[in-house]
Amino acid sequence: MSNLHLKSNPTLSDIQKYVIDLEKERGFNNSLTEDCLLLIEEVGELCKVVRKSPHTSMGIDVNKTYEFDTGGEIADVLIMLTAIANKLGVDMEAAFREKEERNKLRTWL
């Protein structure tokens, strides 16, 4: 049983701290390269769920039952992205705010 607790309405900083604790508790000791590969895998799983969901017009086997845990796949992507940010020493909230300030200066079509 896990002793981890993520407070209600967490900030990105809270999530980053949580993922550090999650990795320690679960004994994850992945390299940066391994985390990047896992992120790609998780993004692929999310894309597969989206592709087979009723939200796209792509053909699927209508005789097959599909499980749609879109939220779970998005959470997996966030966990892996956060693990990478932690290994690189990136403050995700600060990076997001800085990038958005630059984006506000751009012209969007």
Side-chain angles (χ1 to χ4, degrees), residues 55-68:
H55 302 288
T56 65
S57 60
M58 296 179 74
I60 59 172
D61 182 350
V62 294
N63 297 313
K64 185 174 178 183
T65 303
Y66 295 99
E67 297 284 327
F68 298 109

Side-chain angles (χ1 to χ4, degrees), residues 2-6 13-28 86:
S2 177
N3 292 321
L4 296 174
H5 175 73
L6 182 61
S13 178
D14 294 330
I15 293 171
Q16 283 193 257
K17 290 175 189 166
Y18 181 85
V19 169
I20 289 169
D21 293 339
L22 173 152
E23 289 186 307
K24 287 178 187 172
E25 181 179 275
R26 297 180 187 172
F28 296 162
N86 287 343

